[in-house]
Amino acid sequence: MYNKNTKQDPIVAAVTAALGAGVATSFAVAQGQSPWLALGITIFAAALALILDHLGVV
């Protein structure tokens, strides 16, 4: 059964979020989005994942 009480390493949470957001933003850059905006989205997603992981929301 899933144990929600276990905490992830913050580095793992950040890398996982950055990779997930990076895939989506890479597609957006290929469609013509600004690379700087894509980088900002990726960094924001990683930071939000760290915050939510620290609070125990996810």
Side-chain angles (χ1 to χ4, degrees):
M1 181 174 249
Y2 179 70
N3 186 3
K4 191 173 179 162
N5 294 329
T6 60
K7 294 285 263 179
Q8 262 189 343
D9 182 23
I11 303 297
V12 173
V15 169
T16 303
L19 286 174
V23 170
T25 54
S26 294
F27 178 74
V29 169
Q31 299 298 314
Q33 181 181 1
S34 165
W36 293 108
L37 180 60
L39 181 63
I41 292 169
T42 303
I43 292 170
F44 176 75
L48 187 62
L50 283 172
I51 292 168
L52 292 177
D53 183 61
H54 180 71
L55 294 175
V57 176
V58 290

